[in-house]
Amino acid sequence: MPSLLFRSVLVLLLAVFSAPSMAADMQGSCMVSFNIKNKTFINGVTPVSCQALESRRLALFQQVNAMPTTGNVDVSGALQKLDSLQAKLKASNASSDWAGISMAITGNAMATYALGVCVLGDVPDCAIAVVSKLMSMVSLVDSAASASDKSKAVQQMTTDIANLRKAIEALQPPAAAIRNRMVDDFNGMCANIKTHCLN
């Protein structure tokens, strides 16, 4: 018969190794505003303005960090936010309100779009890819590019949002897995920002 001590140790080990893993969080050093230099860095494969991203980054990180760690992703809530973003982009594009388009791409909007893409589960570095995509459009509409080029980019974005909406509307993935994936992506992006935008 195993001794009482042996059985106690065994119970303790089983409790430790069978306990659910803790949810990842954004690194504390990333949850503050940075004194950003006027530079660009490569986010994924896309050059991104450090200053343009910094104006949105903290709200983005806060939104992701506040995501639930239990249950399923609230896809219906994400769909409503995607609909709102799409409507803002369409309205601003119709009136050639390029500043309005840039303002519509908030940190919260990026978090919602990234959530939708990460829910699909088949996009490598899903959160990073979304930030690159949205910031590329912001860079274009804020530039001296032609109105035609700006309008085409925004039209493509609204089409992409509509397609994403259709793809995720019936999905109910576990919240913890999606949150952890996004946190890992953005912790990596934060380290990249610290390396390339602060010096």
Side-chain angles (χ1 to χ4, degrees):
M1 289 289 291
S3 69
L4 178 60
L5 176 60
F6 176 81
R7 290 199 301 271
S8 299
V9 170
L10 182 61
V11 169
L12 178 60
L13 289 173
L14 287 173
V16 169
F17 289 105
S18 64
S21 58
M22 296 296 290
D25 282 318
M26 293 301 306
Q27 295 173 3
S29 62
C30 297
M31 301 301 291
V32 296
S33 296
F34 294 148
N35 184 19
I36 292 294
K37 305 297 183 182
N38 186 17
K39 300 168 67 175
T40 60
F41 77 105
I42 302 300
N43 184 61
V45 296
T46 305
V48 173
S49 162
C50 293
Q51 291 183 337
L53 179 57
E54 180 60 17
S55 66
R56 300 163 169 87
R57 179 194 60 81
L58 189 53
L60 165 64
F61 283 7
Q62 289 171 339
Q63 183 87 349
V64 171
N65 215 39
M67 288 174 58
T69 58
T70 60
N72 296 325
V73 171
D74 178 17
V75 172
S76 62
L79 293 177
Q80 292 176 359
K81 293 177 181 178
L82 287 172
D83 288 344
S84 177
L85 175 60
Q86 184 184 41
K88 289 177 183 177
L89 293 178
K90 284 184 175 181
S92 294
N93 198 31
S95 60
S96 299
D97 179 11
W98 311 126
I101 290 170
S102 183
M103 290 175 61
I105 306 302
T106 63
N108 287 340
M110 287 199 291
T112 299
Y113 201 146
L115 172 63
V117 173
C118 290
V119 161
L120 291 176
D122 59 355
V123 180
D125 300 322
C126 52
I128 301 294
V130 165
V131 171
S132 294
K133 179 176 182 176
L134 291 174
M135 292 307 298
S136 291
M137 188 186 72
V138 168
S139 179
L140 178 62
V141 298
D142 286 345
S143 74
S146 70
S148 175
D149 286 344
K150 293 179 181 181
S151 183
K152 287 178 182 177
V154 178
Q155 287 174 2
Q156 183 61 56
M157 187 65 70
T158 59
T159 298
D160 290 347
I161 292 173
N163 291 337
L164 175 63
R165 191 190 192 291
K166 292 178 183 178
I168 68 172
E169 59 185 355
L171 302 181
Q172 292 185 324
I178 301 301
R179 181 185 184 277
N180 287 349
R181 188 178 181 191
M182 294 176 70
V183 166
D184 285 345
D185 273 6
F186 286 136
N187 275 332
M189 187 177 81
C190 180
N192 205 3
I193 292 170
K194 289 177 181 178
T195 299
H196 299 288
C197 295
L198 301 187
N199 302 306

